[in-house]
Amino acid sequence: MRAVMFYDAHDLRVEDIPEPKAPKPGWVKLKLAYNGICGSDLHMFTDGGFTGNTPTATEENPLTGETLPIVLGHEFSGTVVELGEGVEDVSIGQNVAVRANVSCGECAACRSGKSNICRKQWGFGISGGGGGLAEYVNVPAGNVHVVGDMDLGHAAMLEPLSVATHAVRLSGALAGQTALVGGAGPVGLFTAAILKAKGLTVIVSEPSQARRDIALSASHADYAINPIDEDLNALVVRVTDGLGADMVFDAAGVGPVTHQLIANVRPGGHVQIIALHGKPLEIQVAAELHYTEATFSGTMAYLPEDFEDSIAMVNSGKLDLEAFVTKRIDPENIVAEGFDTLINHNDTAVKILVKTSRD
């Protein structure tokens, strides 16, 4: 079968590899349809794999037993074509999306209902064990979510959408409140769209004109402002009658943006950190914690219920994912039309989908 293989930084190859065998007990085999290109894929392409998670050419991932090369891709959808022994909750022929991380089910996090922060988890397309940029893959039945008649390109976007769904759920957002989202990359735009669908007034802070236009043209934000050239604080004061935003969402992962968001949250409001910061973030404890009494929360990936909520939102018509699709490409063009666009012209694109099926 055709697959996009990750060998090392700047070394992706479209190759023919063996098709997975019959799934083991508790697993299912999928014929894949689409895979979205993610920021994690960009990191692997530019900088190499993730230390302690991605194997090397000589060192196996301890959980998957694989070494490089591995099949890339973890935002994927497909159709169930074969069931392993004991699988009862999904059926052959059903269209599904897949949670990308496989947790252990035994650690303290898993037993606490927080499988998203399992310390023994591994991820498709990052750790080995298969990936979404292929024609077929075997996955645990517990990781698949039936999507009904949803466009399978849209279904491949449920993975990043569920990251935003999880963050919004943790924030406690309620209709009638005002939310400020810093950063309008894919997850930031998804966050804004979910908040808007829930009935909040949404302000997006983003330097890129193209991404601000997407937020406004798709009606996923009420206001979109360039915080470099415009006065964000003045806008928040005007929209909230001087109270400040009920909650702010950091989808940028850049210290100055985070501090600007904190400065615009109301007293006793909530700060939700979604983006992974590449550098340590210094918080001014007195000014940004004590004097605001704001609550702070981090977020990591998603839980099964976040996937189900995302599916329900899309299938209900409350959220149109096509507005986020920049283009759909073939695997052979993944570098020239996918990675190059997202790395060198990232303000022109949101989600680029790779069509993995030959049909």
Side-chain angles (χ1 to χ4, degrees):
M1 67 174 182
R2 179 180 60 180
V4 177
M5 305 299 294
F6 173 77
Y7 277 79
D8 205 341
H10 301 284
D11 190 357
L12 298 183
R13 307 178 197 178
V14 179
E15 298 180 335
D16 284 323
I17 65 171
E19 183 178 317
K21 298 179 180 180
K24 59 187 177 183
W27 286 48
V28 299
K29 185 175 182 178
L30 305 182
K31 180 180 180 181
L32 295 171
Y34 284 95
N35 186 99
I37 301 176
C38 171
S40 297
D41 301 324
L42 301 182
H43 169 83
M44 292 177 68
F45 182 73
T46 57
D47 301 321
F50 293 90
T51 302
N53 199 334
T54 306
T56 70
T58 57
E59 297 180 357
E60 297 179 350
N61 176 285
L63 298 176
T64 65
E66 288 196 28
T67 56
L68 294 181
I70 60 173
V71 181
L72 191 67
H74 63 274
E75 297 180 0
F76 55 92
S77 64
T79 303
V80 178
V81 294
E82 191 172 353
L83 305 178
E85 182 181 350
V87 175
E88 299 178 349
D89 293 336
V90 293
S91 304
I92 291 176
Q94 287 184 316
N95 291 337
V96 300
V98 180
R99 296 197 321 279
N101 293 336
V102 181
S103 54
C104 73
E106 300 174 350
C107 68
C110 288
R111 289 187 285 115
S112 300
K114 290 284 189 180
S115 59
N116 58 316
I117 53 174
C118 170
R119 295 300 187 265
K120 299 179 182 179
Q121 65 182 323
W122 58 273
F124 289 106
I126 293 176
S127 311
L133 284 164
E135 293 183 76
Y136 294 90
V137 70
N138 290 342
V139 301
N143 276 59
V144 304
H145 293 263
V146 178
V147 301
D149 295 329
M150 186 185 303
D151 178 298
L152 283 174
H154 297 171
M157 299 165 68
L158 289 169
E159 200 270 352
L161 179 64
S162 295
V163 173
T165 299
H166 184 65
V168 171
R169 181 164 62 81
L170 288 181
S171 76
L174 297 173
Q177 294 181 316
T178 300
L180 169 60
V181 179
V187 172
L189 287 170
F190 286 149
T191 301
I194 294 168
L195 291 164
K196 183 64 177 173
K198 290 176 70 69
L200 283 80
T201 298
V202 180
I203 304 169
V204 167
S205 175
E206 165 61 47
S208 166
Q209 180 69 55
R211 289 183 171 178
R212 294 199 307 275
D213 289 344
I214 292 171
L216 292 173
S217 64
S219 298
H220 297 320
D222 299 281
Y223 307 90
I225 186 171
N226 181 348
I228 297 174
D229 299 330
E230 302 174 82
D231 191 335
L232 176 60
N233 179 256
L235 175 62
V236 173
V237 167
R238 176 167 62 85
V239 172
T240 66
D241 196 25
L243 294 176
D246 294 288
M247 59 199 61
V248 298
F249 294 82
D250 176 8
V254 181
V257 174
T258 311
H259 292 297
Q260 190 174 51
L261 293 172
I262 295 170
N264 282 283
V265 71
R266 67 166 173 81
H270 182 71
V271 179
Q272 188 71 53
I273 309 292
I274 308 175
L276 297 176
H277 282 244
K279 297 179 180 179
L281 177 64
E282 294 186 4
I283 296 294
Q284 303 301 315
V285 175
E288 296 180 320
L289 288 179
H290 293 310
Y291 293 165
T292 65
E293 288 199 347
T295 58
F296 285 65
S297 176
T299 178
M300 175 57 69
Y302 38 71
L303 291 168
E305 52 262 42
D306 300 310
F307 251 76
E308 291 300 316
D309 288 349
S310 296
I311 292 168
M313 184 175 297
V314 174
N315 283 339
S316 71
K318 293 181 179 178
L319 186 59
D320 178 14
L321 290 180
E322 189 62 29
F324 301 100
V325 178
T326 302
K327 54 185 172 181
R328 305 184 187 210
I329 65 176
D330 293 324
E332 290 77 10
N333 300 321
I334 191 169
V335 174
E337 296 186 21
F339 282 76
D340 180 69
T341 298
L342 293 170
I343 293 170
N344 299 312
H345 311 283
N346 67 341
D347 63 338
T348 67
V350 181
K351 290 306 296 183
I352 295 178
L353 302 176
V354 182
K355 187 178 185 297
T356 49
S357 171
R358 294 181 189 267
D359 296 342

mmCIF file with all atom_site columns, all heavy atoms in Angstrom, residues 132-158:
data_model
loop_
_atom_site.group_PDB
_atom_site.id
_atom_site.type_symbol
_atom_site.label_atom_id
_atom_site.label_alt_id
_atom_site.label_comp_id
_atom_site.label_asym_id
_atom_site.label_entity_id
_atom_site.label_seq_id
_atom_site.pdbx_PDB_ins_code
_atom_site.Cartn_x
_atom_site.Cartn_y
_atom_site.Cartn_z
_atom_site.occupancy
_atom_site.B_iso_or_equiv
_atom_site.pdbx_formal_charge
_atom_site.auth_seq_id
_atom_site.auth_comp_id
_atom_site.auth_asym_id
_atom_site.auth_atom_id
_atom_site.pdbx_PDB_model_num
ATOM 1   N N   . GLY A 1 132 ? -1.795  7.826  9.863  1.00 0.00 ? 132 GLY A N   1
ATOM 2   C CA  . GLY A 1 132 ? -2.916  8.157  9.009  1.00 0.00 ? 132 GLY A CA  1
ATOM 3   C C   . GLY A 1 132 ? -2.579  8.398  7.554  1.00 0.00 ? 132 GLY A C   1
ATOM 4   O O   . GLY A 1 132 ? -3.481  8.456  6.712  1.00 0.00 ? 132 GLY A O   1
ATOM 5   N N   . LEU A 1 133 ? -1.308  8.579  7.222  1.00 0.00 ? 133 LEU A N   1
ATOM 6   C CA  . LEU A 1 133 ? -0.918  8.848  5.843  1.00 0.00 ? 133 LEU A CA  1
ATOM 7   C C   . LEU A 1 133 ? -0.565  7.544  5.130  1.00 0.00 ? 133 LEU A C   1
ATOM 8   O O   . LEU A 1 133 ? 0.552   7.333  4.648  1.00 0.00 ? 133 LEU A O   1
ATOM 9   C CB  . LEU A 1 133 ? 0.242   9.840  5.810  1.00 0.00 ? 133 LEU A CB  1
ATOM 10  C CG  . LEU A 1 133 ? -0.186  11.280 6.096  1.00 0.00 ? 133 LEU A CG  1
ATOM 11  C CD1 . LEU A 1 133 ? 1.006   12.160 6.438  1.00 0.00 ? 133 LEU A CD1 1
ATOM 12  C CD2 . LEU A 1 133 ? -0.954  11.859 4.900  1.00 0.00 ? 133 LEU A CD2 1
ATOM 13  N N   . ALA A 1 134 ? -1.550  6.670  5.080  1.00 0.00 ? 134 ALA A N   1
ATOM 14  C CA  . ALA A 1 134 ? -1.411  5.377  4.426  1.00 0.00 ? 134 ALA A CA  1
ATOM 15  C C   . ALA A 1 134 ? -2.791  4.978  3.913  1.00 0.00 ? 134 ALA A C   1
ATOM 16  O O   . ALA A 1 134 ? -3.768  5.712  4.089  1.00 0.00 ? 134 ALA A O   1
ATOM 17  C CB  . ALA A 1 134 ? -0.861  4.337  5.396  1.00 0.00 ? 134 ALA A CB  1
ATOM 18  N N   . GLU A 1 135 ? -2.874  3.827  3.292  1.00 0.00 ? 135 GLU A N   1
ATOM 19  C CA  . GLU A 1 135 ? -4.174  3.379  2.790  1.00 0.00 ? 135 GLU A CA  1
ATOM 20  C C   . GLU A 1 135 ? -4.943  2.571  3.824  1.00 0.00 ? 135 GLU A C   1
ATOM 21  O O   . GLU A 1 135 ? -6.183  2.561  3.800  1.00 0.00 ? 135 GLU A O   1
ATOM 22  C CB  . GLU A 1 135 ? -3.973  2.567  1.518  1.00 0.00 ? 135 GLU A CB  1
ATOM 23  C CG  . GLU A 1 135 ? -3.446  3.405  0.350  1.00 0.00 ? 135 GLU A CG  1
ATOM 24  C CD  . GLU A 1 135 ? -3.325  2.597  -0.928 1.00 0.00 ? 135 GLU A CD  1
ATOM 25  O OE1 . GLU A 1 135 ? -4.373  2.326  -1.552 1.00 0.00 ? 135 GLU A OE1 1
ATOM 26  O OE2 . GLU A 1 135 ? -2.189  2.229  -1.279 1.00 0.00 ? 135 GLU A OE2 1
ATOM 27  N N   . TYR A 1 136 ? -4.232  1.907  4.720  1.00 0.00 ? 136 TYR A N   1
ATOM 28  C CA  . TYR A 1 136 ? -4.880  1.103  5.754  1.00 0.00 ? 136 TYR A CA  1
ATOM 29  C C   . TYR A 1 136 ? -4.115  1.251  7.063  1.00 0.00 ? 136 TYR A C   1
ATOM 30  O O   . TYR A 1 136 ? -2.912  1.522  7.080  1.00 0.00 ? 136 TYR A O   1
ATOM 31  C CB  . TYR A 1 136 ? -4.914  -0.384 5.372  1.00 0.00 ? 136 TYR A CB  1
ATOM 32  C CG  . TYR A 1 136 ? -5.773  -0.701 4.171  1.00 0.00 ? 136 TYR A CG  1
ATOM 33  C CD1 . TYR A 1 136 ? -5.229  -0.686 2.876  1.00 0.00 ? 136 TYR A CD1 1
ATOM 34  C CD2 . TYR A 1 136 ? -7.124  -1.014 4.312  1.00 0.00 ? 136 TYR A CD2 1
ATOM 35  C CE1 . TYR A 1 136 ? -6.012  -0.961 1.772  1.00 0.00 ? 136 TYR A CE1 1
ATOM 36  C CE2 . TYR A 1 136 ? -7.920  -1.305 3.207  1.00 0.00 ? 136 TYR A CE2 1
ATOM 37  C CZ  . TYR A 1 136 ? -7.353  -1.272 1.946  1.00 0.00 ? 136 TYR A CZ  1
ATOM 38  O OH  . TYR A 1 136 ? -8.139  -1.538 0.858  1.00 0.00 ? 136 TYR A OH  1
ATOM 39  N N   . VAL A 1 137 ? -4.812  1.041  8.176  1.00 0.00 ? 137 VAL A N   1
ATOM 40  C CA  . VAL A 1 137 ? -4.166  1.035  9.483  1.00 0.00 ? 137 VAL A CA  1
ATOM 41  C C   . VAL A 1 137 ? -5.027  0.222  10.443 1.00 0.00 ? 137 VAL A C   1
ATOM 42  O O   . VAL A 1 137 ? -6.253  0.145  10.287 1.00 0.00 ? 137 VAL A O   1
ATOM 43  C CB  . VAL A 1 137 ? -3.976  2.473  10.024 1.00 0.00 ? 137 VAL A CB  1
ATOM 44  C CG1 . VAL A 1 137 ? -5.311  3.112  10.403 1.00 0.00 ? 137 VAL A CG1 1
ATOM 45  C CG2 . VAL A 1 137 ? -3.023  2.501  11.208 1.00 0.00 ? 137 VAL A CG2 1
ATOM 46  N N   . ASN A 1 138 ? -4.388  -0.402 11.419 1.00 0.00 ? 138 ASN A N   1
ATOM 47  C CA  . ASN A 1 138 ? -5.092  -1.091 12.505 1.00 0.00 ? 138 ASN A CA  1
ATOM 48  C C   . ASN A 1 138 ? -5.046  -0.215 13.747 1.00 0.00 ? 138 ASN A C   1
ATOM 49  O O   . ASN A 1 138 ? -3.987  0.331  14.093 1.00 0.00 ? 138 ASN A O   1
ATOM 50  C CB  . ASN A 1 138 ? -4.446  -2.437 12.815 1.00 0.00 ? 138 ASN A CB  1
ATOM 51  C CG  . ASN A 1 138 ? -4.662  -3.467 11.721 1.00 0.00 ? 138 ASN A CG  1
ATOM 52  O OD1 . ASN A 1 138 ? -5.554  -3.312 10.883 1.00 0.00 ? 138 ASN A OD1 1
ATOM 53  N ND2 . ASN A 1 138 ? -3.859  -4.519 11.710 1.00 0.00 ? 138 ASN A ND2 1
ATOM 54  N N   . VAL A 1 139 ? -6.203  -0.074 14.412 1.00 0.00 ? 139 VAL A N   1
ATOM 55  C CA  . VAL A 1 139 ? -6.292  0.775  15.599 1.00 0.00 ? 139 VAL A CA  1
ATOM 56  C C   . VAL A 1 139 ? -7.158  0.080  16.642 1.00 0.00 ? 139 VAL A C   1
ATOM 57  O O   . VAL A 1 139 ? -7.998  -0.767 16.313 1.00 0.00 ? 139 VAL A O   1
ATOM 58  C CB  . VAL A 1 139 ? -6.900  2.159  15.279 1.00 0.00 ? 139 VAL A CB  1
ATOM 59  C CG1 . VAL A 1 139 ? -6.077  2.887  14.230 1.00 0.00 ? 139 VAL A CG1 1
ATOM 60  C CG2 . VAL A 1 139 ? -8.348  2.025  14.821 1.00 0.00 ? 139 VAL A CG2 1
ATOM 61  N N   . PRO A 1 140 ? -6.999  0.422  17.924 1.00 0.00 ? 140 PRO A N   1
ATOM 62  C CA  . PRO A 1 140 ? -7.884  -0.141 18.945 1.00 0.00 ? 140 PRO A CA  1
ATOM 63  C C   . PRO A 1 140 ? -9.334  0.287  18.691 1.00 0.00 ? 140 PRO A C   1
ATOM 64  O O   . PRO A 1 140 ? -9.602  1.455  18.365 1.00 0.00 ? 140 PRO A O   1
ATOM 65  C CB  . PRO A 1 140 ? -7.364  0.466  20.249 1.00 0.00 ? 140 PRO A CB  1
ATOM 66  C CG  . PRO A 1 140 ? -5.959  0.885  19.953 1.00 0.00 ? 140 PRO A CG  1
ATOM 67  C CD  . PRO A 1 140 ? -5.959  1.289  18.510 1.00 0.00 ? 140 PRO A CD  1
ATOM 68  N N   . ALA A 1 141 ? -10.266 -0.635 18.848 1.00 0.00 ? 141 ALA A N   1
ATOM 69  C CA  . ALA A 1 141 ? -11.679 -0.305 18.632 1.00 0.00 ? 141 ALA A CA  1
ATOM 70  C C   . ALA A 1 141 ? -12.134 0.812  19.562 1.00 0.00 ? 141 ALA A C   1
ATOM 71  O O   . ALA A 1 141 ? -12.994 1.617  19.202 1.00 0.00 ? 141 ALA A O   1
ATOM 72  C CB  . ALA A 1 141 ? -12.542 -1.551 18.827 1.00 0.00 ? 141 ALA A CB  1
ATOM 73  N N   . GLY A 1 142 ? -11.540 0.882  20.742 1.00 0.00 ? 142 GLY A N   1
ATOM 74  C CA  . GLY A 1 142 ? -11.921 1.918  21.692 1.00 0.00 ? 142 GLY A CA  1
ATOM 75  C C   . GLY A 1 142 ? -11.502 3.307  21.274 1.00 0.00 ? 142 GLY A C   1
ATOM 76  O O   . GLY A 1 142 ? -11.934 4.294  21.873 1.00 0.00 ? 142 GLY A O   1
ATOM 77  N N   . ASN A 1 143 ? -10.653 3.415  20.252 1.00 0.00 ? 143 ASN A N   1
ATOM 78  C CA  . ASN A 1 143 ? -10.174 4.720  19.781 1.00 0.00 ? 143 ASN A CA  1
ATOM 79  C C   . ASN A 1 143 ? -10.979 5.258  18.607 1.00 0.00 ? 143 ASN A C   1
ATOM 80  O O   . ASN A 1 143 ? -10.721 6.370  18.151 1.00 0.00 ? 143 ASN A O   1
ATOM 81  C CB  . ASN A 1 143 ? -8.700  4.647  19.373 1.00 0.00 ? 143 ASN A CB  1
ATOM 82  C CG  . ASN A 1 143 ? -7.758  4.802  20.544 1.00 0.00 ? 143 ASN A CG  1
ATOM 83  O OD1 . ASN A 1 143 ? -7.805  4.017  21.476 1.00 0.00 ? 143 ASN A OD1 1
ATOM 84  N ND2 . ASN A 1 143 ? -6.917  5.807  20.515 1.00 0.00 ? 143 ASN A ND2 1
ATOM 85  N N   . VAL A 1 144 ? -11.932 4.492  18.104 1.00 0.00 ? 144 VAL A N   1
ATOM 86  C CA  . VAL A 1 144 ? -12.684 4.949  16.936 1.00 0.00 ? 144 VAL A CA  1
ATOM 87  C C   . VAL A 1 144 ? -14.027 5.523  17.361 1.00 0.00 ? 144 VAL A C   1
ATOM 88  O O   . VAL A 1 144 ? -14.637 5.091  18.344 1.00 0.00 ? 144 VAL A O   1
ATOM 89  C CB  . VAL A 1 144 ? -12.880 3.831  15.887 1.00 0.00 ? 144 VAL A CB  1
ATOM 90  C CG1 . VAL A 1 144 ? -11.547 3.264  15.459 1.00 0.00 ? 144 VAL A CG1 1
ATOM 91  C CG2 . VAL A 1 144 ? -13.794 2.744  16.402 1.00 0.00 ? 144 VAL A CG2 1
ATOM 92  N N   . HIS A 1 145 ? -14.472 6.520  16.609 1.00 0.00 ? 145 HIS A N   1
ATOM 93  C CA  . HIS A 1 145 ? -15.758 7.169  16.860 1.00 0.00 ? 145 HIS A CA  1
ATOM 94  C C   . HIS A 1 145 ? -16.537 7.203  15.553 1.00 0.00 ? 145 HIS A C   1
ATOM 95  O O   . HIS A 1 145 ? -16.059 7.742  14.546 1.00 0.00 ? 145 HIS A O   1
ATOM 96  C CB  . HIS A 1 145 ? -15.548 8.594  17.380 1.00 0.00 ? 145 HIS A CB  1
ATOM 97  C CG  . HIS A 1 145 ? -14.929 8.648  18.732 1.00 0.00 ? 145 HIS A CG  1
ATOM 98  N ND1 . HIS A 1 145 ? -15.654 8.788  19.892 1.00 0.00 ? 145 HIS A ND1 1
ATOM 99  C CD2 . HIS A 1 145 ? -13.628 8.553  19.114 1.00 0.00 ? 145 HIS A CD2 1
ATOM 100 C CE1 . HIS A 1 145 ? -14.843 8.799  20.926 1.00 0.00 ? 145 HIS A CE1 1
ATOM 101 N NE2 . HIS A 1 145 ? -13.596 8.649  20.481 1.00 0.00 ? 145 HIS A NE2 1
ATOM 102 N N   . VAL A 1 146 ? -17.715 6.650  15.576 1.00 0.00 ? 146 VAL A N   1
ATOM 103 C CA  . VAL A 1 146 ? -18.557 6.595  14.380 1.00 0.00 ? 146 VAL A CA  1
ATOM 104 C C   . VAL A 1 146 ? -19.073 7.994  14.061 1.00 0.00 ? 146 VAL A C   1
ATOM 105 O O   . VAL A 1 146 ? -19.570 8.711  14.939 1.00 0.00 ? 146 VAL A O   1
ATOM 106 C CB  . VAL A 1 146 ? -19.734 5.630  14.596 1.00 0.00 ? 146 VAL A CB  1
ATOM 107 C CG1 . VAL A 1 146 ? -20.641 5.604  13.374 1.00 0.00 ? 146 VAL A CG1 1
ATOM 108 C CG2 . VAL A 1 146 ? -19.220 4.216  14.893 1.00 0.00 ? 146 VAL A CG2 1
ATOM 109 N N   . VAL A 1 147 ? -18.964 8.402  12.795 1.00 0.00 ? 147 VAL A N   1
ATOM 110 C CA  . VAL A 1 147 ? -19.305 9.779  12.407 1.00 0.00 ? 147 VAL A CA  1
ATOM 111 C C   . VAL A 1 147 ? -20.550 9.876  11.540 1.00 0.00 ? 147 VAL A C   1
ATOM 112 O O   . VAL A 1 147 ? -20.942 10.976 11.150 1.00 0.00 ? 147 VAL A O   1
ATOM 113 C CB  . VAL A 1 147 ? -18.118 10.455 11.688 1.00 0.00 ? 147 VAL A CB  1
ATOM 114 C CG1 . VAL A 1 147 ? -16.891 10.495 12.584 1.00 0.00 ? 147 VAL A CG1 1
ATOM 115 C CG2 . VAL A 1 147 ? -17.805 9.764  10.361 1.00 0.00 ? 147 VAL A CG2 1
ATOM 116 N N   . GLY A 1 148 ? -21.158 8.757  11.209 1.00 0.00 ? 148 GLY A N   1
ATOM 117 C CA  . GLY A 1 148 ? -22.359 8.799  10.381 1.00 0.00 ? 148 GLY A CA  1
ATOM 118 C C   . GLY A 1 148 ? -22.049 9.203  8.959  1.00 0.00 ? 148 GLY A C   1
ATOM 119 O O   . GLY A 1 148 ? -21.076 8.746  8.355  1.00 0.00 ? 148 GLY A O   1
ATOM 120 N N   . ASP A 1 149 ? -22.870 10.092 8.409  1.00 0.00 ? 149 ASP A N   1
ATOM 121 C CA  . ASP A 1 149 ? -22.722 10.498 7.013  1.00 0.00 ? 149 ASP A CA  1
ATOM 122 C C   . ASP A 1 149 ? -21.796 11.700 6.835  1.00 0.00 ? 149 ASP A C   1
ATOM 123 O O   . ASP A 1 149 ? -21.754 12.296 5.754  1.00 0.00 ? 149 ASP A O   1
ATOM 124 C CB  . ASP A 1 149 ? -24.099 10.845 6.430  1.00 0.00 ? 149 ASP A CB  1
ATOM 125 C CG  . ASP A 1 149 ? -25.017 9.632  6.378  1.00 0.00 ? 149 ASP A CG  1
ATOM 126 O OD1 . ASP A 1 149 ? -24.504 8.507  6.212  1.00 0.00 ? 149 ASP A OD1 1
ATOM 127 O OD2 . ASP A 1 149 ? -26.243 9.812  6.511  1.00 0.00 ? 149 ASP A OD2 1
ATOM 128 N N   . MET A 1 150 ? -21.057 12.073 7.847  1.00 0.00 ? 150 MET A N   1
ATOM 129 C CA  . MET A 1 150 ? -20.161 13.222 7.767  1.00 0.00 ? 150 MET A CA  1
ATOM 130 C C   . MET A 1 150 ? -19.144 13.043 6.643  1.00 0.00 ? 150 MET A C   1
ATOM 131 O O   . MET A 1 150 ? -18.640 11.944 6.412  1.00 0.00 ? 150 MET A O   1
ATOM 132 C CB  . MET A 1 150 ? -19.416 13.387 9.103  1.00 0.00 ? 150 MET A CB  1
ATOM 133 C CG  . MET A 1 150 ? -18.551 14.633 9.201  1.00 0.00 ? 150 MET A CG  1
ATOM 134 S SD  . MET A 1 150 ? -17.576 14.697 10.743 1.00 0.00 ? 150 MET A SD  1
ATOM 135 C CE  . MET A 1 150 ? -18.845 14.586 11.997 1.00 0.00 ? 150 MET A CE  1
ATOM 136 N N   . ASP A 1 151 ? -18.851 14.121 5.935  1.00 0.00 ? 151 ASP A N   1
ATOM 137 C CA  . ASP A 1 151 ? -17.772 14.124 4.961  1.00 0.00 ? 151 ASP A CA  1
ATOM 138 C C   . ASP A 1 151 ? -16.498 13.616 5.634  1.00 0.00 ? 151 ASP A C   1
ATOM 139 O O   . ASP A 1 151 ? -16.108 14.105 6.700  1.00 0.00 ? 151 ASP A O   1
ATOM 140 C CB  . ASP A 1 151 ? -17.580 15.562 4.456  1.00 0.00 ? 151 ASP A CB  1
ATOM 141 C CG  . ASP A 1 151 ? -16.448 15.721 3.460  1.00 0.00 ? 151 ASP A CG  1
ATOM 142 O OD1 . ASP A 1 151 ? -15.284 15.460 3.832  1.00 0.00 ? 151 ASP A OD1 1
ATOM 143 O OD2 . ASP A 1 151 ? -16.713 16.148 2.338  1.00 0.00 ? 151 ASP A OD2 1
ATOM 144 N N   . LEU A 1 152 ? -15.823 12.628 5.019  1.00 0.00 ? 152 LEU A N   1
ATOM 145 C CA  . LEU A 1 152 ? -14.657 12.040 5.673  1.00 0.00 ? 152 LEU A CA  1
ATOM 146 C C   . LEU A 1 152 ? -13.479 12.997 5.734  1.00 0.00 ? 152 LEU A C   1
ATOM 147 O O   . LEU A 1 152 ? -12.591 12.830 6.573  1.00 0.00 ? 152 LEU A O   1
ATOM 148 C CB  . LEU A 1 152 ? -14.268 10.725 4.980  1.00 0.00 ? 152 LEU A CB  1
ATOM 149 C CG  . LEU A 1 152 ? -15.174 9.541  5.345  1.00 0.00 ? 152 LEU A CG  1
ATOM 150 C CD1 . LEU A 1 152 ? -14.826 8.316  4.512  1.00 0.00 ? 152 LEU A CD1 1
ATOM 151 C CD2 . LEU A 1 152 ? -15.068 9.218  6.835  1.00 0.00 ? 152 LEU A CD2 1
ATOM 152 N N   . GLY A 1 153 ? -13.453 13.996 4.882  1.00 0.00 ? 153 GLY A N   1
ATOM 153 C CA  . GLY A 1 153 ? -12.456 15.048 5.038  1.00 0.00 ? 153 GLY A CA  1
ATOM 154 C C   . GLY A 1 153 ? -12.705 15.827 6.315  1.00 0.00 ? 153 GLY A C   1
ATOM 155 O O   . GLY A 1 153 ? -11.774 16.134 7.071  1.00 0.00 ? 153 GLY A O   1
ATOM 156 N N   . HIS A 1 154 ? -13.961 16.146 6.571  1.00 0.00 ? 154 HIS A N   1
ATOM 157 C CA  . HIS A 1 154 ? -14.319 16.827 7.816  1.00 0.00 ? 154 HIS A CA  1
ATOM 158 C C   . HIS A 1 154 ? -14.044 15.933 9.012  1.00 0.00 ? 154 HIS A C   1
ATOM 159 O O   . HIS A 1 154 ? -13.605 16.411 10.070 1.00 0.00 ? 154 HIS A O   1
ATOM 160 C CB  . HIS A 1 154 ? -15.796 17.236 7.792  1.00 0.00 ? 154 HIS A CB  1
ATOM 161 C CG  . HIS A 1 154 ? -16.125 18.221 6.720  1.00 0.00 ? 154 HIS A CG  1
ATOM 162 N ND1 . HIS A 1 154 ? -17.414 18.579 6.406  1.00 0.00 ? 154 HIS A ND1 1
ATOM 163 C CD2 . HIS A 1 154 ? -15.330 18.933 5.863  1.00 0.00 ? 154 HIS A CD2 1
ATOM 164 C CE1 . HIS A 1 154 ? -17.405 19.464 5.419  1.00 0.00 ? 154 HIS A CE1 1
ATOM 165 N NE2 . HIS A 1 154 ? -16.153 19.687 5.080  1.00 0.00 ? 154 HIS A NE2 1
ATOM 166 N N   . ALA A 1 155 ? -14.295 14.632 8.857  1.00 0.00 ? 155 ALA A N   1
ATOM 167 C CA  . ALA A 1 155 ? -14.059 13.701 9.971  1.00 0.00 ? 155 ALA A CA  1
ATOM 168 C C   . ALA A 1 155 ? -12.594 13.669 10.370 1.00 0.00 ? 155 ALA A C   1
ATOM 169 O O   . ALA A 1 155 ? -12.263 13.475 11.546 1.00 0.00 ? 155 ALA A O   1
ATOM 170 C CB  . ALA A 1 155 ? -14.536 12.302 9.587  1.00 0.00 ? 155 ALA A CB  1
ATOM 171 N N   . ALA A 1 156 ? -11.689 13.875 9.406  1.00 0.00 ? 156 ALA A N   1
ATOM 172 C CA  . ALA A 1 156 ? -10.264 13.912 9.728  1.00 0.00 ? 156 ALA A CA  1
ATOM 173 C C   . ALA A 1 156 ? -9.908  15.133 10.552 1.00 0.00 ? 156 ALA A C   1
ATOM 174 O O   . ALA A 1 156 ? -8.848  15.171 11.185 1.00 0.00 ? 156 ALA A O   1
ATOM 175 C CB  . ALA A 1 156 ? -9.436  13.883 8.442  1.00 0.00 ? 156 ALA A CB  1
ATOM 176 N N   . MET A 1 157 ? -10.792 16.142 10.560 1.00 0.00 ? 157 MET A N   1
ATOM 177 C CA  . MET A 1 157 ? -10.539 17.358 11.320 1.00 0.00 ? 157 MET A CA  1
ATOM 178 C C   . MET A 1 157 ? -11.097 17.277 12.736 1.00 0.00 ? 157 MET A C   1
ATOM 179 O O   . MET A 1 157 ? -10.912 18.212 13.537 1.00 0.00 ? 157 MET A O   1
ATOM 180 C CB  . MET A 1 157 ? -11.154 18.550 10.585 1.00 0.00 ? 157 MET A CB  1
ATOM 181 C CG  . MET A 1 157 ? -10.557 18.755 9.204  1.00 0.00 ? 157 MET A CG  1
ATOM 182 S SD  . MET A 1 157 ? -11.539 19.850 8.139  1.00 0.00 ? 157 MET A SD  1
ATOM 183 C CE  . MET A 1 157 ? -11.326 21.410 8.977  1.00 0.00 ? 157 MET A CE  1
ATOM 184 N N   . LEU A 1 158 ? -11.758 16.178 13.067 1.00 0.00 ? 158 LEU A N   1
ATOM 185 C CA  . LEU A 1 158 ? -12.326 16.041 14.414 1.00 0.00 ? 158 LEU A CA  1
ATOM 186 C C   . LEU A 1 158 ? -11.245 15.944 15.487 1.00 0.00 ? 158 LEU A C   1
ATOM 187 O O   . LEU A 1 158 ? -11.483 16.321 16.637 1.00 0.00 ? 158 LEU A O   1
ATOM 188 C CB  . LEU A 1 158 ? -13.230 14.809 14.478 1.00 0.00 ? 158 LEU A CB  1
ATOM 189 C CG  . LEU A 1 158 ? -14.555 14.931 13.724 1.00 0.00 ? 158 LEU A CG  1
ATOM 190 C CD1 . LEU A 1 158 ? -15.230 13.572 13.628 1.00 0.00 ? 158 LEU A CD1 1
ATOM 191 C CD2 . LEU A 1 158 ? -15.471 15.940 14.399 1.00 0.00 ? 158 LEU A CD2 1
#
